[in-house]
Amino acid sequence: MSVLPLPDMDGAAADEVATEPVPPSRRRGLPQLLRRPGSGLGVAWLVFLVIASFTAPLWRPYEVDEQDLAHRLEGPSGAHWLGTDPNGRDILSRIFTAGAEPLLVSTLTVLVAFGIGIPLALMAAQRGRRTEQVTSRLTEIVMALPSTILLLAVIGVIGIKIYLVMGILGVLISAVVYRIMLGVAQSVRQRLYVDAARVNGLGSLAVNLRHVLPGMATVIAVQAAQLFGIALLIQSGLAFLGFGPAEPQPSWGVMIQTASQHIYDAPWLMVPTGLVLALTVVAVNELADAIAGKVTAERVVPRRRSRVVASSTAAPADPDAVLEVRDLSVAVDGGPQLVTGVSFALRPGRVLGLVGESGCGKTMTARALLGLLPDGVSVSGGSILWQGRELVGLPDSRLNDVRGREIAMISQEPMVALDPMFSVAYQLIQPIRRLRGVGRAEARKIAAELLTSVGIVDAERVLKTYPHQLSGGMAQRVCIALALTGKPKLLIADEPTTALDVTVQAEILSLLRALVRDTGLSVVIVSHDLGVVADICDDVAVMYAGEVVESGSVAAVLDDPAHPYTMALLGANPHVPDGEPVPRRLASIAGTVPPPGSWPTGCRFAARCQFAQEQCTVPFVPFPAHGDGRATGSVRCIRVEELARAHVTWDADDVGAVVLVGADPLEPADETAPTAGVRS
Amino acid sequence: MFAYLARRLALAVLTVLAAVLISFLLVHATPGSPGAIRAGAGGTAAEIARYNSELGWDQPLWRQFLDYLGQLVRLDFGTSLIDSKDIGADLGQRLPVTASIALLATLLSGLVGVLLGVTAAVRGGRFGRFITSSSGVALSLPAFWVGILLVFVLSLQLGWLPATGYTRFTDDPVGWLTSLALPVLTLTVGGAAVIARTAGAGMREALRQEHIRTLRAVGTPEWRIRYLHALRYASVPVVSVLGIQFIALFGGSVIIENLFALPGLGQASQAASSSHDLPALVGVVVIATIVVVVTNLLLELVVAALDPKVRTS
């Protein structure tokens, strides 16, 4: 995930659609754990089992060796609730008497495993590479030893000393614990506060105890629960093989072994003991899952959307527009709106910028155009007319005709946008063959040509590489080539340069500019960087809290902003430093973007606006913008006329004065540094 | 890549040596001596001393260790203290039984687990959650209990499969398969559950990846996205877990062989353990370690073949 909040809607959306309550934070107390029905029952069973097992001598109806030979191998009855074994002994009494030992012994195994594994991991994480490599190799050897068979060998040598044997199992398992904990310890140690504690002179033991260990608590709890379950199974397995407590002392493994011998004449025998053991392990694992929050993670269900939204079929307002978005709304299914009433139009060969702070719905709007919204999020209203064809409500199968062929997309993080498992050649050739209907050899030639056309010099070599071997800029060029495989007419670029180095950003922007110039491609570019917008866009739509607050030509909007939010964006950023994302500098716009679901009914910017008045809190419709170059633009501010007459400027606290955009962004010269930002 | 493999190979040899050393030391830490075990309960001191001297027990420890290593290199595991049989030959007959159970169970677990896991991830919804939670239960069930339940249902009630016993493949291939069916099914219940969870989580994670959106954006057909790209992405963790499963099932077969009366390594180690047949115990540990180590090496190769990041580094 990126550092920008917006793509996190993936997770947020998934949480919103969850039917069960999703714990708000990672640190959950026991009461919240219990809310999951499975884990609640599991905890209840474990508590019951522990109490019943350790108090069994106090309440058990029969002694464990009390034989009732007249009632052998009987099913449940009033006298023997769980029946009797081949010697006529009461199963209920024996099961719970037998419970204490596996519980204690498994606890011992877990304690030994963690007692060795955790200190070793902490030490390895602290001492650095040399120590880590020695301990890691050693544990690898221990992990490769066949533990069950080794345990049998141990028993063969030392006899059935179950505490010692299970302690040795703990030693063997400690290698696994070390492995897991090392990774966690290393990442916890890299957190800033641990560094700070170290700098402040806290001793290494104190740092480990006070800062590193608590950070590992969740993983330790999950692992402990799972290992406890494994130890239970191994202990009862050993007893099943005859390496358990001696008769008449009861044990689960021996009781199941007995059941297996009476499967012909007394099948009931296998039910109670097996069920108690199985329930216990299930409960422990369920608890581990609950602690790990697995259900939350697995809730993200890739289910294709089938919701069809009715939309208008009115004639396009702009007859020249190739893409016309009208009143587009995007919402979490059964949840809050993420984007509302967004409208804009795009003519062929033009570049439109969607700009705004993070969390304003830019990416959602862009993704809606191709029907590539995250799962659990869908278009809830409005229309997307592509060359006169309505895209909203089209099923995926029909949208697939548009994707790649007519509209293509490049994304924010080129390094993860390519499939790591396939070569660049495969990833290009496959869509080329499908979209252009050519053979393999021809497709390979086209792939090389495409790579050359996006400025890759040694196309043949790049074709043979895998994504992890590419640099960020190179990967973005490959992504652009991939987007061009179907000769699209519209390219949607979602923050195409955000993740890249400054110099590479400039190269990618000039590549996009050249593509627009040479191929007549239309582009919708999402950015939070006004510099990028000024540099490459013809038109701009400024978005705030899920709606377009101002739109029009770049020249008009950036030179003469009419909406206070646009003024604020510009005013707060007289010098956008190279490579510095704009929002970080927005300290002078007090407050933050209100999250979806908490938008006010009137102007959504009012709470942060220097010019807000009481009238701003009532709903209103956006005004068509006035002035040159604003024929298709709009301004969503009820005081727009007033403010324009007064020639107000946004007082940026940090800066003190508004500095206007100087250069003409309509004719950006190739040699100017494209990321220079809004120039003063 | 070659340096990497060489390092892995060195570590594998070290692991086997460690296993030999550990079991060797374990045997020598025993109170009593192999001579006493061989002589049995009624053995006289002279008899015990004679046996011990025959076995080289009176030699210095390092000498005995080197001798034993030398024997192992010639694949000589010594003779049993109990019945004086050749341990190497005995274990050599037993290895195929255990290996075929573990291998068949791993393959079946992989097949069923991947099918279930992928279905859970792709279908999602209530059905997907059902698969996920029921595999959570299945992987917690003790295998020996599952085995008893399966014997009761499939063999006693329905009479489809023999409950116990082993038929050699060379004697009767069909009989071989049916004699292995119940143990393999038993191990598959837990094994498939583990794989289903791994495959499901892997597919879900794969389908959330950014590159999947890239594929959608160029109109890649959904089947291709799921069963070629996402499955390939999920295959690396699945194969790793399959390897771990094989090792776990190999070890876990001790219990299953006991339950189904199969003449495998597990049964041998149980018997050797009960009778304190020390050389046989060491032999089983060494063979099991070699199996684990070889499996791990094969696994490294498969993962390298699957994951370009490993292959090209």
Side-chain angles (χ1 to χ4, degrees), chain B residues 55-294:
Chain B
L55 294 162
W57 191 260
D58 47 1
Q59 302 280 329
L61 207 58
W62 62 269
R63 183 69 191 273
Q64 290 189 49
F65 183 65
L66 289 183
D67 281 349
Y68 187 67
L69 275 186
Q71 276 184 39
L72 281 187
V73 172
R74 296 191 305 271
L75 289 178
D76 175 6
F77 288 86
T79 53
S80 162
L81 294 179
I82 307 303
D83 52 14
S84 303
K85 275 202 296 195
D86 181 51
I87 294 171
D90 180 47
L91 296 184
Q93 286 207 324
R94 291 171 176 275
L95 180 62
V97 181
T98 305
S100 35
I101 298 173
L103 196 64
L104 287 177
T106 306
L107 292 179
L108 193 62
S109 298
L111 194 72
V112 176
V114 168
L115 273 177
L116 286 177
V118 169
T119 312
V122 166
R123 284 277 308 273
R126 196 170 283 181
F127 185 64
R129 271 201 298 275
F130 172 75
I131 292 180
T132 309
S133 51
S134 49
S135 48
V137 171
L139 64 86
S140 311
L141 298 178
F144 47 95
W145 188 55
V146 173
I148 300 173
L149 295 181
L150 286 179
V151 168
F152 181 71
V153 176
L154 294 180
S155 151
L156 295 190
Q157 298 296 310
L158 301 170
W160 288 352
L161 294 164
T164 55
Y166 179 71
T167 311
R168 280 164 193 271
F169 180 78
T170 44
D171 292 347
D172 172 12
V174 178
W176 172 78
L177 206 60
T178 47
S179 71
L180 289 184
L182 268 179
V184 166
L185 277 180
T186 303
L187 292 174
T188 301
V189 171
V194 173
I195 301 297
R197 284 212 144 184
T198 313
M203 275 297 273
R204 268 184 287 263
E205 197 203 316
L207 287 168
R208 273 200 298 267
Q209 295 300 306
E210 185 75 20
H211 69 259
I212 296 294
R213 193 178 304 129
T214 309
L215 288 165
R216 292 223 163 90
V218 290
T220 312
E222 191 63 27
W223 64 267
R224 216 186 162 98
I225 289 178
R226 282 178 187 168
Y227 303 114
L228 200 81
H229 291 274
L231 198 57
R232 178 71 188 272
Y233 187 88
S235 68
V236 175
V238 168
V239 166
S240 305
V241 174
L242 265 180
I244 296 169
Q245 276 294 296
F246 176 77
I247 293 168
L249 294 182
F250 196 87
S253 65
V254 184
I255 291 165
I256 288 308
E257 286 171 16
N258 172 287
L259 181 62
F260 292 100
L262 295 168
L265 281 181
Q267 208 188 46
S269 61
Q270 187 199 1
S273 186
S274 323
S275 61
H276 304 282
D277 191 347
L278 302 175
L281 274 179
V282 178
V284 175
V285 171
V286 171
I287 287 189
T289 309
I290 291 174
V291 168
V292 171
V293 161
V294 170

